[in-house]
Amino acid sequence: MLFLLLFAPQLDLIERARSAATSFAKKLPNYICQQTTTRSNSNALPVNWVRQDAVSAALIYENGKEDYRDIAIDGKPQTGLKMIDIGGNTSTGEFATVLLDVLHQSTAAVFKLRFQSTVAGKLMAIYDFQVPQARSHWSLMTSRGVVTPGYRGTLWIDVDAARVMRLEWEAVNLPADFTLQSMQSSVEYDYVDLGAERFLVAKHSEAVLCYRSSTLCSRNVIDWKDYHLYQSESRLIFDKDPGYN
């Protein structure tokens, strides 16, 4: 009985976060925002990041799907190209997918409370987690193939709201013949106003990939801003006071 008394509150918060994330995915309205990805490489140990370029795009979320328009590299339009076609490392919406996957019961993720801390006036519970490869739905793709590895990481959960405010994860046991030796990523969430309601959305992310049998690593730093409601007739709906951006 002592075991249940100690650990039931931890599991209850995970269940609340799972319910909140699922509800969020169903209620999220169509929106448009600006995505900017600053890409850097390092070919030295210790790492020494050298900026390569910045990829900007209008990210449109419509009826549960993402689309990228007005893609540009260092301000130069990439007319007729999709995000996957521009070369280099790109990210196309996997962050919400990973969050839902971590919390979904089908992944059988194991959660362990590490500690609690107050961040920006909010009590956060920090959980470590691990998803076995057999239950993973997260894929890594390179020019030489695709793998679906297991992964582990950390969730930062607002105790009062039961909302995930930060997610960190890394691939576990990548195949020895796979191009990448390691992959680590993180995403931070914050609230924005979309119409008359507030929604939790991605605001900042970083991803680092290192290649096998090499000192080469690459880093993407992604920022999302200027969130607004979107209608398919290409009309933006701006709030009277967009000062939340």
Side-chain angles (χ1 to χ4, degrees):
M1 182 62 69
L2 178 60
F3 179 88
L4 293 177
L5 289 174
L6 286 173
F7 286 88
Q10 299 180 23
L11 298 178
D12 176 67
L13 181 56
I14 294 295
E15 290 300 323
R16 289 169 55 210
R18 178 179 290 129
S19 176
T22 302
S23 176
F24 152 79
K26 292 180 179 179
K27 292 177 58 179
L28 192 63
N30 295 342
Y31 66 78
I32 182 171
C33 69
Q34 185 70 17
Q35 174 179 306
T36 302
T37 304
T38 302
R39 305 191 294 187
S40 304
N41 289 334
S42 172
N43 202 3
L45 290 176
V47 293
N48 179 28
W49 297 116
V50 178
R51 182 189 182 280
Q52 301 300 303
D53 57 30
V55 180
S56 60
L59 167 58
I60 297 172
Y61 179 89
E62 185 174 18
N63 301 325
K65 298 181 180 180
E66 294 185 355
D67 185 28
Y68 295 83
R69 301 181 186 176
D70 302 327
I71 299 172
I73 298 179
D74 285 338
K76 299 178 181 179
Q78 305 297 299
T79 305
L81 294 182
K82 296 182 179 181
M83 189 67 77
I84 198 172
D85 298 327
I86 65 174
N89 294 322
T90 58
S91 300
T92 54
E94 73 276 17
F95 305 119
T97 304
V98 172
L99 175 57
L100 292 173
D101 193 45
V102 168
L103 292 172
H104 200 281
Q105 292 179 333
S106 68
T107 64
V110 177
F111 296 94
K112 181 179 180 181
L113 180 65
R114 189 196 302 177
F115 63 93
Q116 292 187 341
S117 178
T118 300
V119 180
K122 296 180 180 180
L123 180 62
M124 297 285 179
I126 293 84
Y127 286 85
D128 290 330
F129 68 85
Q130 183 144 353
V131 174
Q133 190 276 330
R135 297 293 190 110
S136 173
H137 308 113
W138 172 55
S139 296
L140 287 172
M141 180 175 67
T142 73
S143 59
R144 296 186 181 180
V146 179
V147 298
T148 302
Y151 57 100
R152 63 191 174 202
T154 306
L155 291 176
W156 298 65
I157 304 178
D158 180 340
V159 173
D160 291 334
R163 302 304 302 270
V164 176
M165 304 303 295
R166 179 177 173 85
L167 167 63
E168 303 171 354
W169 74 98
E170 64 178 355
V172 176
N173 297 327
L174 288 170
D177 59 349
F178 189 58
T179 307
L180 298 178
Q181 170 136 355
S182 65
M183 188 281 186
Q184 299 175 323
S185 192
S186 66
V187 60
E188 298 174 6
Y189 301 88
D190 202 356
Y191 291 95
V192 298
D193 294 323
L194 291 173
E197 297 186 56
R198 289 178 68 76
F199 293 89
L200 193 67
V201 297
K203 296 289 284 187
H204 179 80
S205 173
E206 296 191 21
V208 175
L209 299 83
C210 292
Y211 295 83
R212 195 172 298 278
S213 302
S214 171
T215 59
L216 178 63
C217 295
S218 63
R219 181 178 68 174
N220 285 5
V221 177
I222 309 174
D223 291 287
W224 295 270
K225 63 180 182 179
D226 299 332
Y227 280 85
H228 298 290
L229 289 177
Y230 173 80
Q231 290 187 344
S232 57
E233 295 178 353
S234 300
R235 292 191 297 120
L236 304 183
I237 303 175
F238 291 90
D239 291 332
K240 292 181 179 179
D241 179 11
Y244 57 84
N245 292 318

